[in-house]
Amino acid sequence: MNLLPGPAAPATLPSHLNPAHIDAGNRTLAEMQELATSLTFAAMLTDDGFEIVHLNGATTDGGRFASMSSSVQALSDAVAHELKIGTNEYVIIASELGHVIQLRVQGHPIVLAALFDTHETLGKGLSIARIAARRMAQLMA
Amino acid sequence: MAEHVVLFAGPMGSGKTTAIRSLSEIEVVSTEAANTDRATADKETTTVALDYGEITIDDVTKVRLYGVPGQKRFDFMWSILAGRARGLLLLINNDAPESIALLLQYLADFHELHARGAVVIGVTKSDVRESPTVADYSAALTAKFPEQLIPVFTVDPRNAEEMRTLLLTLVASVEMRELLAPAPEKI
Ligand SMILES: Nc1nc2c(ncn2[C@@H]2O[C@H](COP(=O)(O)OP(=O)(O)OP(=O)(O)O)[C@@H](O)[C@H]2O)c(=O)[nH]1
Ligand SMILES: [Mg+2]
């Protein structure tokens, strides 16, 4: 039995209040915008739906979008779990005038959600979103 | 087999997810996420979309149990799920600040379901804080809705038997309403 006290629990600041995470998010989203002008809105949010940062928020209610994205992410995870098809990698909502792509930032309770207009192909949107999620993880490491 | 849909609502940490897990006969569908709002409820996870479970009562009645997130940020899920329910099981944690006002607020938020369906109130965590009492809640409800009798129970969501009693009360009330005003034919 190990009687030594464990390391003190890190003072975990929620990501949406953590300046380092906010900075990493802003940098990631700015880089993402450079890769795609078709990116009309993007946000990083905590798993429980608090917005950490967003890009191009003029026409979108960021707080509400973050809550909805978190619900959608959790429901999609539940479906993947129910069907026993492994980990849910992306969520795609393809609509007439745009598509939303969501994915998790590996190793963190953070979701990246991006809205592209239809000038972007889904394939390109996916690849940009994946690069951004990886970049976010890297900046937070 | 008769079927009913009931909704579990109420503040964050009042025990909606716990209650559905206590009651359900099937593996529940849950959508828990790491909770960053520790100030409101100091617990590991919080519901961000829904809970879903099922229970059969009397061998002939299946009850579908839906839970919503307690946090108002997710109120779009409240409207989505309230629409399919005929009964509301509102859990209120007794240790919440201003818990009577909070209960009335949640009832107002679900007024559409309250108007057309049955309602039962479960006061949780009365082991954590003793007051207000069931009589206090009942008095506030009677003052607000003088023409109605809304049942109030203390309940521990971790206790399946207690939850079952609450649910049976709600289902009886749903069935009574259906007898008095039959649901429109399904299309
Ligand atoms: N002592 C005590 N603990 C309780 C009681 N009821 C519930 N709990 C605990 O309080 C917590 C309730 O958590 P949840 O079931 O996740 O609450 P919830 O209503 O689903 O919360 P959200 O999904 O975040 O809105 C759990 O840790 C329960 O074990 C009670 O009557 N007494
Ligand atoms: Mg819950």
Side-chain angles (χ1 to χ4, degrees):
Chain A
M1 195 159 73
N2 181 3
L3 293 176
L4 290 172
T12 44
L13 208 50
S15 287
H16 58 288
L17 304 175
N18 184 327
H21 291 186
I22 292 172
D23 184 54
N26 278 326
R27 283 172 62 184
T28 304
L29 294 188
E31 290 175 19
M32 199 177 174
Q33 178 79 91
E34 278 168 27
L35 293 175
T37 49
S38 58
L39 183 67
T40 42
F41 180 77
M44 297 276 182
L45 47 124
T46 63
D47 266 9
D48 62 340
F50 285 102
E51 183 183 280
I52 305 167
V53 289
H54 72 246
L55 184 82
N56 301 342
T59 56
T60 309
D61 178 344
R64 196 158 174 83
F65 180 75
S67 299
M68 290 190 128
S69 293
S70 115
S71 299
V72 164
Q73 188 74 34
L75 277 173
S76 314
D77 290 351
V79 170
H81 175 81
E82 185 73 24
L83 299 177
K84 301 186 174 63
I85 51 175
T87 310
N88 170 28
E89 291 182 13
Y90 300 103
V91 181
I92 297 173
I93 301 169
S95 297
E96 222 178 319
L97 300 178
H99 23 259
V100 178
I101 298 175
Q102 287 187 202
L103 75 167
R104 279 220 156 78
V105 174
Q106 273 298 309
H108 299 274
I110 292 178
V111 174
L112 165 65
L115 168 64
F116 295 91
D117 67 32
T118 38
H119 295 111
E120 203 62 83
T121 64
L122 260 183
K124 176 138 184 257
L126 269 177
S127 105
I128 290 168
R130 194 184 341 198
I131 291 169
R134 229 186 279 131
R135 178 72 173 140
M136 179 72 176
Q138 194 184 48
L139 288 174
M140 285 171 67
Chain B
M1 193 187 237
E3 269 199 20
H4 299 297
V5 174
V6 301
L7 193 71
F8 289 63
M12 185 182 189
S14 59
K16 304 171 294 292
T17 300
T18 307
I20 290 178
R21 287 183 178 168
S22 294
L23 284 167
S24 182
E25 294 159 352
I26 62 163
E27 192 195 332
V28 298
V29 176
S30 54
T31 58
E32 295 296 291
N35 171 30
T36 57
D37 185 5
R38 293 296 184 105
T40 306
D42 191 13
K43 57 191 185 106
E44 289 296 319
T45 67
T46 185
T47 306
V48 296
L50 53 77
D51 302 300
Y52 176 74
E54 291 175 3
I55 183 172
T56 314
I57 49 180
D58 320 330
D59 294 331
V60 290
T61 309
K62 181 167 169 178
V63 186
R64 299 180 182 274
L65 315 165
Y66 283 91
V68 291
Q71 300 180 66
K72 187 156 178 65
R73 304 183 288 124
F74 296 104
D75 61 1
F76 53 88
M77 289 304 307
W78 299 359
S79 349
I80 293 172
L81 295 176
R84 57 181 71 186
R86 304 290 304 266
L88 174 65
L89 202 156
L90 221 159
L91 294 180
I92 179 90
N93 45 313
N94 218 28
D95 64 342
E98 307 280 347
S99 59
I100 291 180
L102 195 59
L103 167 65
L104 295 176
Q105 179 59 53
Y106 273 84
L107 263 181
D109 287 330
F110 288 89
H111 67 91
E112 184 272 334
L113 174 54
H114 180 190
R116 72 181 159 77
V119 179
V120 169
I121 312 290
V123 177
T124 67
K125 298 192 175 170
S126 39
D127 56 323
V128 180
R129 216 182 115 184
E130 284 175 19
S131 66
T133 63
V134 164
D136 297 332
Y137 286 101
S138 290
L141 288 167
T142 307
K144 180 88 184 172
F145 306 102
E147 75 293 359
Q148 270 182 40
L149 187 69
I150 303 177
V152 185
F153 295 77
T154 52
V155 67
D156 187 330
R158 299 166 297 180
N159 183 318
E161 269 315 304
E162 288 183 28
M163 279 315 306
R164 210 180 142 84
T165 304
L166 201 63
L167 184 69
L168 289 176
T169 307
L170 181 65
V171 168
S173 177
V174 169
E175 288 179 341
M176 183 66 80
R177 280 170 169 270
E178 282 179 0
L179 281 178
L180 297 175
E185 285 296 314
K186 278 200 182 117
I187 36 172

